[in-house]
Amino acid sequence: MSLPPFHLGPIQFDQPIWLLIAIPMWALAIWIGRSSLSGMGTASRRVALVVRLLVILLLLGAVARPQWRQEADTVVVSVVLDQSKSVPLALQSRAKAYLEEAAAASAQKGDQQAAVTVAREAYVRALPTTPGAMSDTEQIGDRDGTNLAEGLRLAMAVMPKTAANTALIISDFNETAGDLMAAAQAARAAGLKINVLPLRYKNDREVELERLVAPATARMGETVNLRVLLSATRPTSGRLNVLIDGEPIKLDPDASFTGMDVSLIAGMNPLTIPVVMSRGGAVKFEAVFDPIPEADNKLGDTIAENNRGEAISFVSGQGRVLVLGSSTEEAAPLVKALNDARIQTELRDLDQAPRSLVELGAYDAVVLLNASAYRFSQQQQEDLRTYVHDLGGGMVMIGGPDSFGAGGWIGSPLADALPIKLDPPQKRQMPRGALVLMMHSCEMPNGNYWGKQTALAAVKNLSAQDLVGVVEYGWQSGGAEWVWELQEVGSRAGVNRAISNMNYGDAPSFDAFMRLAIPALEKANAGLKHAIIISDGDPQAPSPALIGRYRAAKVTVSTVLVFPHYMGASGPDFSTMRDIAEQTGGNYYQITEDNQLKSLPEIFIKEAQTVRRALIWEGKPFNPSAANVATDAMRGIPLPVPPITGYIVTAEREGLSQVSLRGVENDPILASWQYGLGKSVAFTSDATNRWCAAWLRWPSYRAFWEQHVRWAMRPNASADVRVATEDRGDSTRIVIEALDPGSGERLNFLRFRGRVVDPDGGAESVELRQTGPGRYEGQFKSDRSGSYVLSYRYDIPAAEGTPAREGTVQAAVTRPFADEFRALEDNSALAQQIATLTGGRVLSGDPKADDLWTRNGLVMPVSLTSIWLWFAAIAIGTFLVDVAVRRVRIDLPAMALAIKRGLSARREKKAGQQLASLHEARQRAQQSIAQRSAEQASGGSPRADEPAAPMDPSVRTAKFEASADELAAARKSGPAGAMGTQAPDTRPAPGQPQKPKDKAAEEEGINRLLKAKKRAQDQMEQD
């Protein structure tokens, strides 16, 4: 049996049934008390019984789960403000002004407001605070999307439980991600009312390029039809341009321009454009519509972002290989060998390396020839790894002094794709490098952040056996100090942690850094010693003696000058740091603009390579030993291979990596393996006459490189495989049809292994299932704008007369613009549904009439604080009193009577003290009067030359004046003389003992004195 909570003032009992049990418990306690308390007095027995009943009530109250109940009186409005690009800026500004005016109009004292901004992602911009202007509402992330559901969930998360809460959504309600209705259902379940303010608009002048459709795959020389779908809200005209790989093509042979003029009707306008596939690989198509001003001098288009469409087709043809090298002359022998082997090869400089996965996907293999890591951005390095692992491309890395570990690839994303470890083995005895980083205060944007990032980048590109140290000028110590003393890099965890805890100071001179670091560098057992200084150039130049010490120890110093201070009219002083670098044989860099900051980590990576030269082995010519020549790439290659004179020292990788050639101390020279969907090859020597002069004269030079490059290349499809993609909202469906090229029969039970790479570089596996004869389907999410590249590798099982084969298939899906730019008007219907579902209101936009902080319809929350412990503590104390009353036999009435008597005695004592003081004052007054009377009787007033008798202080401070009744009583108390005469003085003569007076008369006199004193006090208070 359960009862509803019971309220007793601010106290609430959640289980009041325990309070009902108190009645029978009390009856039982009274019945037992009749016998157990019979030996006590009546009053004590009653007191003991009352205490016992109170103990029972308190214990049952504690069990009844008492709560201290407090009801809130404030309202918090959590605002979800749409900041996406689909909402016109004018409406966004109007919404902010509306919130400010509404706060001034209806917010009461104590009310609060929270703010959440929404676009592609939602961010909390203000926790509950005083309502008013929203000063910081600029969206942080991308604005090409709207996720109102996430914004509502965040708003609910910041709502306090100690106030009444409402939510306000200000938006056009065109959501592109999430499900606002589902989030509103959760809000309704939580009892939250959602008010909505639709931002209403309608674009009646709009042209949208709905889609550009191109075949996913095609053959070289084939003519394909591009379909352009244009949607217009009203008849308009414009010019359509089509580009292939960025180059515009001529669509109208009679026109002088490359595009063609089109006239659009209201609605959908499909256009077909034939195009000849003139080359193989990935071909990118772009279609752009440019509106022409109409008669009213206005464009027939409002949103420019949705006037562009993209599509990609993969054209099958002869395999293509991209060679990336720092020197055309150095790459010439390899390129010639590949061309002679009928492999279509394209040579590019490292600065012209592809900058997207789509561009990389046009090649079946990429060859890096003596390529340094610092020539590639971090994103390009990640794209190369993804190209191999997820797109099935081939990677061949060939050595040189700027390649592998010596080229800064240690710790890079591409290092994971190589079949060798770039760090040398621990047991390998070889010269190592020593690097000291001297970090000085950098007064530039985010100076501390960039300082730490540069140091971390340098450490990341050192080998585990190298030595590293970090020096900074500390604020607290006031001098240069080791953040990390010069020692082996090891696992990098310790030095990285030390760098992250740095707190840069401003040093007066470079001497402080360089003098601290040079002893450790002089003692270091390293083949190459290097230091890097990053500073704003403020410190004074080091002494010539210190520079000479660095030169004597063969320590090179590179300097990086960042945002130097201006020294008068002559501008900033670059000479100090430039001189340090020139005098020690280092490099000098300067950063003076914000757009150069991103190059800082690359500078440190490049400088860290200075100590990595120790990874290069050079010596007398030797023939690499054959380790595993059973691989497909080495099949038919004559042994032994020609001698080499140098290579980059690396370590063998465990697992499926196969090492075919080895150097001194068993170092890997040639290794290969399968990485994800692709393959990679590593050759740690070079392909030129630097280390492999004998190879250039070797008859099998061409065969060696042809076989290894072809082994790594992505295989061509051996069956007639066609792939198609179908747009399904936020997802894309893949359909692959496999046919045997000879018989035309459908190929069943193929096993596909593939992944899709999204525009952000992330990859995920996409499973294909056979849905019909030779038909395979899959689906993946494609809600972001950009290109999605798919790559599949498949196996064809052996059949009668045909061996097992493998092939690849590629496709790309492009979303040129986000769905955010497809909205032409607001979705006020959704706003109405949200308000109706949760019991909220559709606001009018009038700040005063809407009354955002109204209390109507809101249930004020009640906060409950458990107080059962207080009940239990009081019950324990009362129980001790109960024990004392029953066992100690305390007579409470007697105790009360004793206390009363004590208080009475205290009052009597105080009254006695007052009477004694009055008696003493009366005696002093009588003596003073008698003295004056004697002086008058002896001769009148005292002489002028005699001082007057001092007046008693008690007489001066109080003024006693008798009333008429008192005078009459005084006359009756003794014999009176004739009128105008004084009654005879009955006092004894001086020196004689005073006769005792009547006690009644004395008390009467005291009473008169008390009354006179009271009158005097009253008079003084009035004065």
Side-chain angles (χ1 to χ4, degrees):
M1 177 181 178
S2 61
L3 297 177
F6 171 70
H7 302 281
L8 184 61
I11 300 177
Q12 172 180 313
F13 295 93
D14 290 345
Q15 295 182 358
I17 190 172
W18 291 98
L19 300 179
L20 298 179
I21 299 176
I23 297 176
M25 293 289 290
W26 279 354
L28 180 62
I30 294 173
W31 183 76
I32 295 175
R34 294 178 58 186
S35 58
S36 63
L37 303 177
S38 59
M40 302 174 61
T42 302
S44 298
R45 185 169 60 252
R46 291 176 180 175
V47 171
L49 186 60
V50 171
V51 172
R52 182 170 298 180
L53 296 180
L54 183 59
V55 170
I56 295 173
L57 180 61
L58 289 172
L59 289 175
L60 292 176
V63 179
R65 294 178 61 184
Q67 310 263 14
W68 187 263
R69 193 171 185 272
Q70 288 181 310
E71 184 173 338
D73 59 353
T74 60
V75 176
V76 176
V77 177
S78 297
V79 182
V80 180
L81 185 61
D82 190 349
Q83 296 279 278
S84 62
K85 287 187 177 180
S86 65
V87 180
L89 293 177
L91 293 180
Q92 294 182 17
S93 300
R94 195 180 307 168
K96 298 175 185 177
Y98 168 85
L99 291 173
E100 184 176 357
E101 296 174 11
S106 62
Q108 301 181 16
K109 183 179 181 180
D111 288 346
Q112 294 181 322
Q113 173 184 309
V116 176
T117 58
V118 173
R120 177 171 292 279
E121 297 174 342
Y123 295 92
V124 177
R125 305 315 304 273
L127 294 173
T129 185
T130 304
M134 300 174 65
S135 58
D136 186 15
T137 57
E138 293 300 325
Q139 187 63 17
I140 299 175
D142 296 334
R143 298 178 56 223
D144 57 349
T146 305
N147 193 339
L148 295 175
E150 183 181 355
L152 179 57
R153 285 192 291 268
L154 275 183
M156 294 175 63
V158 301
M159 291 178 178
K161 297 181 179 180
T162 57
N165 290 281
T166 61
L168 170 61
I169 302 179
I170 304 178
S171 170
D172 61 354
F173 291 89
N174 287 312
E175 54 178 343
T176 62
D179 189 348
L180 182 58
M181 285 297 294
Q185 290 281 3
R188 177 188 179 187
L192 177 66
K193 296 180 182 295
I194 302 177
N195 299 327
V196 295
L197 178 60
L199 300 177
R200 304 180 186 275
Y201 64 90
K202 184 175 182 179
N203 294 331
D204 57 355
R205 292 173 176 263
E206 185 58 38
V207 176
E208 179 181 332
L209 202 155
E210 293 275 356
R211 194 177 181 191
L212 173 61
V213 183
T217 59
R219 293 187 180 90
M220 187 181 298
E222 181 181 1
T223 300
V224 299
N225 289 325
L226 301 179
R227 297 189 63 222
V228 182
L229 303 179
L230 288 168
S231 174
T233 58
R234 53 184 293 172
T236 187
S237 59
R239 181 168 296 170
L240 180 66
N241 290 281
V242 176
L243 297 85
I244 299 180
D245 293 333
E247 295 292 332
I249 60 175
K250 196 172 183 62
L251 300 180
D252 188 351
D254 299 330
S256 59
F257 47 85
T258 55
M260 66 178 183
D261 292 332
V262 293
S263 296
L264 306 179
I265 62 173
M268 187 64 67
N269 297 263
L271 301 174
T272 302
I273 301 173
V275 176
V276 178
M277 298 298 190
S278 58
R279 68 172 186 83
V283 179
K284 182 179 180 180
F285 301 99
E286 294 179 79
V288 182
F289 176 80
D290 295 322
I292 298 176
E294 299 179 359
D296 55 0
N297 203 26
K298 293 183 180 180
L299 294 176
D301 184 58
T302 305
I303 304 174
E305 287 85 353
N306 59 13
N307 292 354
R308 179 181 296 271
E310 295 180 358
I312 297 175
S313 294
F314 286 92
V315 181
S316 60
Q318 188 179 7
R320 300 177 65 205
V321 174
L322 175 64
V323 178
L324 295 174
S326 57
S327 170
T328 304
E329 181 181 356
E330 188 177 39
L334 178 64
V335 172
K336 181 179 184 304
L338 296 179
N339 286 332
D340 292 344
R342 298 182 181 274
I343 298 177
Q344 186 179 354
T345 306
E346 181 180 345
L347 176 62
R348 289 193 192 182
D349 187 79
L350 295 178
D351 295 333
Q352 298 176 345
R355 299 187 178 274
S356 69
L357 278 174
V358 173
E359 193 175 356
L360 279 173
Y363 303 95
D364 296 313
V366 175
V367 179
L368 297 180
L369 182 60
N370 192 26
S372 177
Y374 84 91
R375 302 286 295 274
F376 296 84
S377 68
Q378 189 70 16
Q379 184 60 49
Q380 285 178 305
Q381 296 181 31
E382 184 62 42
D383 287 345
L384 287 171
R385 188 205 66 82
T386 304
Y387 165 74
V388 179
H389 186 271
D390 301 319
L391 298 187
M395 171 61 60
V396 180
M397 180 176 280
I398 301 174
D402 294 328
S403 186
F404 293 105
W409 292 99
I410 295 178
S412 68
L414 185 59
D416 297 334
L418 298 177
I420 54 178
K421 291 183 178 179
L422 302 186
D423 260 336
Q426 295 291 333
K427 62 182 180 180
R428 183 73 156 84
Q429 297 297 325
M430 58 183 304
R432 57 185 178 179
L435 176 66
V436 174
L437 304 174
M438 303 181 191
M439 314 301 294
H440 177 235
S441 176
C442 300
E443 299 180 17
M444 63 180 181
N446 299 320
N448 287 353
Y449 167 80
W450 284 110
K452 294 177 181 179
Q453 290 301 310
T454 54
L456 292 173
V459 173
K460 182 180 179 181
N461 284 271
L462 295 175
S463 71
Q465 298 182 26
D466 288 330
L467 304 178
V468 66
V470 184
V471 177
E472 73 165 344
Y473 192 90
W475 283 108
Q476 297 180 353
S477 64
E481 57 188 7
W482 286 102
V483 175
W484 183 261
E485 293 190 6
L486 190 63
Q487 56 188 288
E488 280 194 2
V489 174
S491 65
R492 298 181 178 84
V495 63
N496 288 345
R497 185 165 53 252
I499 290 172
S500 299
N501 294 331
M502 284 193 303
N503 187 14
Y504 304 97
D506 200 358
S509 172
F510 286 117
D511 259 72
F513 299 104
M514 301 180 68
R515 196 172 298 279
L516 177 66
I518 189 59
L521 287 169
E522 289 173 335
K523 297 177 183 178
N525 182 18
L528 292 169
K529 303 175 184 180
H530 188 57
I532 308 175
I533 300 177
I534 180 172
S535 173
D536 54 14
D538 278 357
Q540 297 296 320
S543 64
L546 185 57
I547 292 294
R549 194 173 172 183
Y550 270 79
R551 296 178 64 178
K554 297 183 179 180
V555 179
T556 56
V557 181
S558 292
T559 57
V560 183
L561 179 65
V562 288
F563 287 86
H565 295 294
Y566 280 83
M567 308 296 184
S570 60
D573 183 12
F574 299 154
S575 61
T576 301
M577 298 187 69
R578 183 189 294 114
D579 292 344
I580 294 175
E582 292 178 353
Q583 293 170 6
T584 59
N587 298 316
Y588 169 74
Y589 306 89
Q590 66 180 40
I591 303 295
T592 57
E593 298 180 4
D594 292 345
N595 57 5
Q596 296 176 319
L597 287 174
K598 293 184 178 180
S599 65
L600 273 174
E602 296 180 2
I603 292 174
F604 272 65
I605 292 173
K606 177 182 178 181
E607 287 301 314
Q609 294 177 27
T610 303
V611 302
R612 303 289 289 283
R613 302 299 179 187
L615 296 176
I616 300 175
W617 181 93
E618 290 182 314
K620 295 181 179 180
F622 75 96
N623 296 90
S625 59
N628 184 3
V629 294
T631 61
D632 293 339
M634 285 294 293
R635 196 165 293 165
I637 301 298
L639 297 175
V641 297
I644 61 176
T645 59
Y647 61 91
I648 306 297
V649 178
T650 59
E652 189 172 351
R653 186 186 290 275
E654 302 83 1
L656 300 178
S657 175
Q658 294 180 325
V659 178
S660 302
L661 298 175
R662 295 185 181 274
V664 298
E665 297 192 31
N666 220 28
D667 297 326
I669 299 295
L670 175 65
S672 60
W673 76 334
Q674 175 95 27
Y675 180 68
L677 298 179
K679 300 175 182 178
S680 68
V681 176
F683 186 72
T684 60
S685 189
D686 67 356
T688 67
N689 56 10
R690 180 187 297 107
W691 294 335
C692 293
W695 285 58
L696 299 181
R697 302 185 298 271
W698 185 31
S700 298
Y701 179 83
R702 188 190 74 180
F704 178 86
W705 289 115
E706 176 190 358
Q707 290 184 201
H708 282 86
V709 171
R710 287 194 184 276
W711 179 85
M713 288 175 62
R714 182 171 44 217
N716 291 326
S718 56
D720 192 3
V721 176
R722 290 281 185 172
V723 59
T725 59
E726 180 181 342
D727 187 6
R728 291 193 169 186
D730 290 343
S731 300
T732 299
R733 188 170 69 126
I734 311 167
V735 179
I736 294 180
E737 294 186 352
L739 300 172
D740 186 278
S743 62
E745 296 181 358
R746 297 185 177 273
L747 298 175
N748 300 316
F749 311 113
L750 300 185
R751 187 169 63 93
F752 287 89
R753 306 183 306 279
R755 298 171 69 83
V756 58
V757 181
D758 60 30
D760 296 331
E764 63 173 331
S765 298
V766 179
E767 182 182 359
L768 292 182
R769 296 184 179 181
Q770 187 169 358
T771 59
R775 185 181 178 89
Y776 304 86
E777 296 183 7
Q779 189 164 315
F780 65 93
K781 190 175 182 180
S782 57
D783 58 336
R784 299 291 303 270
S785 59
S787 299
Y788 297 80
V789 182
L790 300 95
S791 181
Y792 283 94
R793 185 183 294 267
Y794 60 89
D795 299 320
I796 302 175
E800 294 184 4
T802 59
R805 308 182 303 276
E806 69 174 5
T808 60
V809 60
Q810 287 183 288
V813 177
T814 59
R815 289 184 177 270
F817 57 89
D819 292 340
E820 184 75 11
F821 303 112
R822 298 184 185 275
L824 303 182
E825 60 180 324
D826 63 273
N827 188 6
S828 56
L830 177 60
Q832 179 67 56
Q833 293 176 5
I834 297 299
T836 303
L837 177 66
T838 60
R841 298 176 293 153
V842 179
L843 303 181
S844 63
D846 185 347
K848 295 182 179 179
D850 289 340
D851 194 8
L852 290 184
W853 278 267
T854 180
R855 269 72 173 163
N856 296 335
L858 295 182
V859 178
M860 292 296 176
V862 176
S863 62
L864 299 175
T865 304
S866 178
I867 57 174
W868 72 269
L869 191 59
W870 288 95
F871 271 71
I874 297 173
I876 293 173
T878 310
F879 175 73
L880 295 178
V881 174
D882 178 43
V883 173
V885 171
R886 289 185 291 105
R887 298 300 181 189
V888 182
R889 299 297 183 183
I890 298 175
D891 191 347
L892 294 180
M895 292 176 62
L897 181 60
I899 294 172
K900 182 178 180 181
R901 287 176 178 174
L903 294 175
S904 299
R906 184 178 180 183
R907 287 195 297 269
E908 289 177 358
K909 182 180 180 181
K910 186 175 181 180
Q913 293 175 351
Q914 291 178 350
L915 287 173
S917 62
L918 289 173
H919 278 300
E920 184 179 355
R922 184 172 180 272
Q923 290 176 0
R924 288 196 301 268
Q926 288 175 351
Q927 292 175 1
S928 177
I929 294 172
Q931 184 177 359
R932 288 198 299 269
S933 299
E935 292 175 351
Q936 291 176 0
S938 61
S941 59
R943 296 193 309 265
D945 57 347
E946 294 181 355
M951 180 178 282
D952 188 273
S954 62
V955 177
R956 286 200 310 266
T957 56
K959 181 179 180 182
F960 298 93
E961 295 180 355
S963 62
D965 295 338
E966 291 171 342
L967 291 174
R971 293 190 184 98
K972 292 179 181 180
S973 62
M979 183 177 297
T981 64
Q982 186 177 1
D985 188 5
T986 60
R987 292 175 299 174
Q992 295 182 358
Q994 189 175 1
K995 296 180 180 180
K997 297 182 178 180
D998 185 57
K999 185 176 182 181
E1002 183 179 356
E1003 291 182 355
E1004 182 179 359
I1006 291 173
N1007 290 333
R1008 288 198 301 272
L1009 288 173
L1010 290 174
K1011 291 180 180 179
K1013 180 180 180 181
K1014 182 66 170 61
R1015 287 198 304 274
Q1017 290 176 347
D1018 293 342
Q1019 183 63 34
M1020 291 175 65
E1021 290 177 359
Q1022 292 177 3
D1023 293 340

